[in-house]
């Protein structure tokens, strides 16, 4: 069987859809997405010998709580998504610091780079997104109108902005950016140790053990994820099953929900989803 969730109301209430991997048809619909409901359903259906799921911790815990041997598989698509997110997180944490460290050694800033920065500011309009470009054009209009003698109060009224916003726009000398400040993390105090470990070709686990000895309180979360889901991950490589079947049925479920205009009870929705022509 395959198991996945769907939204009654996105971000609020979720249910669970269960499909037969052989017939590609839905076999049950659960009104919630909890560990207990998954465990109870599997306990009542002892004929289930293989389960494929996404990376949900709820479904993993519910399936693992069933006290009988079953083949547990993690869907390859979701596995690749998780690996991709972890890779991006690692790159964002380590590589910017590593590259800035290397560049500072090999390419110290020179006068030519400083002079070219002014030219880049002139061309920054080309690289801006449409909404940023529109905002920058409005700022230019407000600045020109203020230079002609219009007061901040009249400009605020004309452009439906607060006086503080108009004042801020007038004082701007370059396009505003939406870059957020980097949040401080537990790793901030160990960046130099991590860079040294990378330069010495240490593995991520060896680097983790080193910074842990220096007082790092964080966890080696990715290794924990691999350890907890090792058997389902290996099974996803061995078996050819995927969650594609249930993803298609969830699309069908969404279509049925739309035809009911949000006025149907769960029981009616369940009957409509489980009905086979």
């Amino acid at each position: 069987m395959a198991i996945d969730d769907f939204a009654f109301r996105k971000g609020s209430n979720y249910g669970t859809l269960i499909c037969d991997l052989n017939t590609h048809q839905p076999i049950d619909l659960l009104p919630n997405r909890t560990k207990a409901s998954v465990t109870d359903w599997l306990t009542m259906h002892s004929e289930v010998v293989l389960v494929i799921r996404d990376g949900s911790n709820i479904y993993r815990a519910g399936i693992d709580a069933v006290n009988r041997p079953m083949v547990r598989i993690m869907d390859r698509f979701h596995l690749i998504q998780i690996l991709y997110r972890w890779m991006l997180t690692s790159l964002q944490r380590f590589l910017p610091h590593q590259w800035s460290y290397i560049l500072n050694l090999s390419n110290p800033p020179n006068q030519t780079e400083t002079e070219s920065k002014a030219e880049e500011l002139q061309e920054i309009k080309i690289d801006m997104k449409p909404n940023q470009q529109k905002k920058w054009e409005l700022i230019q209009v407000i600045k020109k109108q203020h230079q002609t003698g219009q007061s901040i109060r009249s400009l605020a009224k004309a452009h439906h902005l607060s006086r503080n916003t108009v004042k801020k726009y007038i004082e701007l000398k370059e396009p505003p950016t939406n870059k957020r400040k980097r949040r401080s993390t537990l790793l901030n105090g160990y960046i130099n140790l991590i860079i040294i470990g990378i330069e010495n070709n240490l593995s991520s686990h060896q680097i983790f053990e080193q910074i842990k000895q220096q007082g790092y309180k964080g966890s080696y979360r990715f290794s924990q994820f691999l350890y907890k889901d090792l058997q389902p991950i290996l099974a996803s490589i061995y078996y050819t099953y995927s969650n594609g079947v249930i993803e298609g049925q969830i699309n069908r479920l969404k279509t049925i929900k739309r035809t009911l205009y949000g006025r149907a009870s769960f029981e009616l929705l369940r009957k409509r989803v489980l009905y086979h022509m």
Side-chain angles (χ1 to χ4, degrees):
M1 58 162 260
I3 187 169
D4 204 353
D5 61 0
F6 66 93
F8 290 111
R9 179 177 294 177
K10 196 169 183 179
S12 178
N13 300 326
Y14 288 85
T16 298
L17 178 64
I18 300 172
C19 286
D20 189 318
L21 286 172
N22 293 321
T23 63
H24 294 188
Q25 296 297 332
I27 53 179
D28 209 347
L29 202 67
L30 306 181
N32 52 45
R33 182 183 60 176
T34 63
K35 171 187 171 182
S37 62
V38 173
T39 303
D40 292 343
W41 193 93
L42 286 170
T43 303
M44 289 187 296
H45 294 78
S46 57
E47 69 277 10
V48 176
V49 294
L50 183 147
V51 182
I52 184 168
R53 59 171 175 82
D54 58 13
S56 169
N57 289 327
I58 295 173
Y59 291 145
R60 176 181 57 78
I63 294 167
D64 290 346
V66 180
N67 190 21
R68 73 167 186 270
M70 282 191 302
V71 178
R72 298 163 172 83
I73 305 174
M74 177 178 283
D75 180 56
R76 286 184 295 276
F77 173 78
H78 292 93
L79 174 61
I80 291 170
Q81 271 193 329
I82 293 169
L83 294 174
Y84 176 71
R85 284 198 297 267
W86 276 101
M87 181 191 71
L88 284 184
T89 302
S90 299
L91 291 174
Q92 289 168 358
R93 283 183 178 179
F94 301 122
L95 282 187
H97 301 284
Q98 183 188 6
W99 283 116
S100 62
Y101 173 78
I102 295 171
L103 290 173
N104 287 336
L105 292 178
S106 57
N107 296 317
N110 52 46
Q111 188 175 358
T112 307
E113 291 178 355
T114 306
E115 292 173 352
S116 64
K117 189 174 181 181
E119 297 176 1
E120 290 175 4
L121 288 175
Q122 297 296 327
E123 299 176 356
I124 196 168
K125 184 176 178 180
I126 301 173
D127 299 328
M128 286 192 294
K129 295 179 181 178
N131 59 334
Q132 292 175 322
Q133 186 171 333
K134 187 176 180 180
K135 184 177 181 179
W136 180 237
E137 289 172 356
L138 173 63
I139 292 170
Q140 296 297 321
V141 170
I142 291 173
K143 292 175 77 170
K144 288 179 181 178
Q145 290 175 343
H146 184 258
Q147 289 171 359
T148 60
Q150 292 191 42
S151 66
I152 292 177
R153 185 185 184 90
S154 62
L155 289 171
K157 188 175 181 180
H159 295 283
H160 305 287
L161 299 170
S162 69
R163 281 176 285 181
N164 287 336
T165 301
V166 171
K167 187 177 179 181
K168 182 181 72 174
Y169 285 175
I170 292 170
E171 293 173 353
L172 281 176
K173 295 182 179 179
E174 59 183 62
T177 59
N178 294 327
K179 291 182 179 178
R180 297 181 180 179
K181 294 181 179 179
R182 291 179 63 89
R183 292 183 180 179
S184 60
T185 67
L186 292 174
L187 285 171
N188 283 1
Y190 307 94
I191 295 300
N192 291 333
L193 285 174
I194 292 169
I195 292 172
I196 293 171
I198 293 171
E199 291 175 343
N200 292 330
N201 296 321
L202 298 181
S203 67
S204 59
H205 185 72
Q206 289 172 324
I207 294 173
F208 171 72
E209 290 297 331
Q210 282 191 354
I211 63 176
K212 190 176 179 182
Q213 291 174 5
Q214 298 298 321
Y216 176 63
K217 301 297 183 182
S219 61
Y220 197 54
R221 291 180 295 172
F222 189 56
S223 292
Q224 290 177 340
F225 157 73
L226 291 176
Y227 178 76
K228 288 179 181 178
D229 276 336
L230 182 60
Q231 292 304 321
I233 289 171
L234 294 176
S236 70
I237 299 170
Y238 181 78
Y239 291 92
T240 59
Y241 295 109
S242 78
N243 254 20
V245 172
I246 199 166
E247 296 294 345
Q249 288 293 342
I250 286 176
N251 282 335
R252 173 174 169 266
L253 184 151
K254 290 177 181 177
T255 303
I256 294 172
K257 274 180 59 187
R258 291 189 185 101
T259 62
L260 298 175
Y261 296 98
R263 298 179 181 179
S265 65
F266 170 75
E267 285 303 321
L268 178 58
L269 176 64
R270 182 175 180 274
K271 289 177 181 178
R272 290 285 300 273
V273 171
L274 299 183
Y275 176 74
H276 302 157
M277 293 294 291

